[in-house]
Amino acid sequence: MWIVLIIIIIVALITTISVVVLKTKKTNSEETSTTEETTTEQSSPSFVIDSNTKWKQDALTVAGGYDEGNRTNQLDAPVSVYVDDDNGSIYISDTNNHRIVRWGFNSTNGEVVAGGNGDGNRTDQLNRPSDAILNKKDSSLIICDYGNHRVVKWSRQHDTTSQRIIIPHIVCWSLAIDNNGDLYVSDWMKGEVSRWKEEEKTGTKVASISRDADSTDQLKNFVYIFVDEYYSVYVVDYLNGEAIEWKKDAKNGAIVAYGHRHETKPDQPPHLIAVIVDSMDNIYVSDTVTCQITRWLPVPGTKFGGTIAGGEGCGKGPRNLFTPYDLSFDRQGNLYVVDFFNNRVQKFAVEHD
């Protein structure tokens, strides 16, 4: 009798562990964490986004939206957003206020967690930060301090002595962390993405300009990047209005998404800013010219998968965007968009069948 009972308990434990492992798979490698320990802390299942997923078109403003300013309920030229599902909050690069702001999912005001002491190059200052991601391994923020040409690590425990420069002399625009905990940095001026292992003094190029190669290598002005679970690097070439995928160890990139020209301004070149990828390898980009978020399907030759948010003209209504910047998904499949000129972050709720 006791032997039977023990066998039942062991089987139950194995089943429970298997379920937890299945639930922890991420669609965003920035949130995949840097260690197994952190990954297993995820308790709620991820919503699987695919090519048929739709989002409600009336967005909810979850940060800012009260004109530009430096009050706790305001933003001034926000550019990036990072979703921290575990703590129910988002981190925003509030560029013109030279600060990183944490905003709870249900908050009406933000909390300054880095910078906010004017523009400067002291260890307690930032200068036009362009991106911030969470390093869950040591509960720190890694920040692109764009105006100071550096990448900094900032403690979330308000311990100013732990703030330090981890990569100097780089015109950093965007950051990502892969499953191994390696850091990826896009350099706006050099037009390259480099990978940095912890405490490494020199990064390794994983995507860069090569003017002697084909057009997919002639990348300029890298903006936001995304790294998937297979270590493919997706990067947006702002000037050429393209998103390019560089598979692990690849020498050449492949174009996976394009920007659109404005119907009434056909001579204006297309521009993209940000790119993210779902677990089914569908690509999502923010199109600043047409003020929309578009989906591209992962097929040879690229295939347009439609507009998923915005696209009703540039404006400030709940269905409008005005120069969309960074993108992020939360664990439930909701889409967060930085609405640059409206000084707000918009949440497009996923539609459930």
Side-chain angles (χ1 to χ4, degrees):
M1 179 66 180
W2 284 106
I3 294 175
V4 174
L5 181 59
I6 290 171
I7 292 173
I8 292 172
I9 292 172
I10 291 173
V11 171
L13 285 172
I14 292 173
T15 303
T16 302
I17 292 170
S18 300
V19 170
V20 171
V21 171
L22 286 172
K23 287 182 177 181
T24 59
K25 185 175 180 180
K26 298 286 187 176
T27 59
N28 184 339
S29 64
E30 286 185 6
E31 295 179 5
T32 316
S33 178
T34 57
T35 63
E36 257 188 52
E37 180 182 353
T38 305
T39 304
T40 55
E41 288 176 0
Q42 313 299 331
S43 57
S44 58
S46 296
F47 178 87
V48 177
I49 301 170
D50 58 30
S51 59
N52 295 315
T53 302
K54 296 181 180 180
W55 290 265
K56 296 178 180 178
Q57 293 304 293
D58 287 296
L60 174 68
T61 300
V62 293
Y66 294 98
D67 297 323
E68 64 184 45
N70 60 7
R71 298 197 303 270
T72 57
N73 66 343
Q74 291 179 305
L75 299 168
D76 190 351
V79 291
S80 78
V81 59
Y82 175 91
V83 178
D84 177 15
D85 279 290
D86 293 335
N87 295 297
S89 58
I90 58 176
Y91 291 86
I92 304 162
S93 297
D94 190 8
T95 303
N96 284 350
N97 285 322
H98 312 288
R99 66 189 185 184
I100 306 299
V101 184
R102 176 186 175 275
W103 221 289
F105 282 169
N106 299 311
S107 299
T108 56
N109 295 78
E111 172 194 10
V112 178
V113 293
N117 298 310
D119 62 312
N121 60 8
R122 297 196 313 260
T123 56
D124 67 335
Q125 292 178 307
L126 299 171
N127 186 349
R128 289 175 292 151
S130 57
D131 201 7
I133 61 177
L134 185 61
N135 183 356
K136 296 182 180 180
K137 183 177 180 180
D138 58 7
S139 192
S140 65
L141 285 169
I142 301 176
I143 302 168
C144 268
D145 192 2
Y146 173 79
N148 284 322
H149 298 179
R150 64 190 186 186
V151 178
V152 297
K153 178 176 283 191
W154 202 289
S155 171
R156 291 195 301 160
Q157 309 303 322
H158 302 289
D159 176 11
T160 57
T161 61
S162 65
Q163 295 157 201
R164 62 188 181 95
I165 300 170
I166 57 175
I167 305 176
H169 313 303
I170 184 170
V171 188
C172 171
W173 187 267
S174 180
L175 302 164
I177 294 179
D178 68 17
N179 295 333
N180 294 329
D182 295 338
L183 178 67
Y184 294 72
V185 185
S186 67
D187 189 316
W188 170 269
M189 292 301 296
K190 290 184 178 180
E192 66 182 36
V193 177
S194 54
R195 181 182 64 237
W196 299 73
K197 295 184 180 298
E198 191 171 2
E199 304 300 333
E200 195 173 45
K201 301 300 182 182
T202 304
T204 301
K205 290 182 184 179
V206 293
S208 62
I209 295 174
S210 176
R211 299 188 185 281
D212 296 326
D214 60 43
S215 60
T216 60
D217 285 326
Q218 297 175 12
L219 305 176
K220 304 174 184 178
N221 291 142
F222 283 3
V223 274
Y224 288 103
I225 59 177
F226 183 93
V227 180
D228 70 15
E229 60 184 320
Y230 305 107
Y231 309 102
S232 291
V233 177
Y234 296 81
V235 59
V236 168
D237 174 11
Y238 173 77
L239 290 182
N240 292 318
E242 299 168 345
I244 301 95
E245 178 191 10
W246 294 72
K247 293 186 181 297
K248 184 181 179 182
D249 300 324
K251 294 183 179 180
N252 296 306
I255 298 172
V256 293
Y258 294 94
H260 288 80
R261 293 182 182 272
H262 199 285
E263 290 183 358
T264 61
K265 302 175 183 178
D267 295 332
Q268 182 180 355
H271 292 307
L272 300 179
I273 286 285
V275 57
I276 54 175
V277 183
D278 66 27
S279 60
M280 306 302 290
D281 295 331
N282 299 294
I283 301 105
Y284 303 81
V285 292
S286 52
D287 191 319
T288 64
V289 173
T290 56
C291 296
Q292 63 182 335
I293 312 303
T294 59
R295 173 166 48 203
W296 294 78
L297 306 182
V299 296
T302 71
K303 183 178 180 181
F304 181 57
T307 298
I308 65 165
E312 297 190 10
C314 302
K316 60 181 180 180
R319 288 176 170 249
N320 300 114
L321 298 167
F322 198 168
T323 309
Y325 263 58
D326 198 17
L327 308 171
S328 189
F329 289 120
D330 66 19
R331 199 177 296 147
Q332 284 71 44
N334 302 308
L335 173 66
Y336 295 76
V337 181
V338 176
D339 193 3
F340 181 80
F341 278 119
N342 285 323
N343 297 293
R344 65 188 183 184
V345 176
Q346 297 291 85
K347 174 183 174 182
F348 292 87
V350 67
E351 290 187 351
H352 296 280
D353 293 334

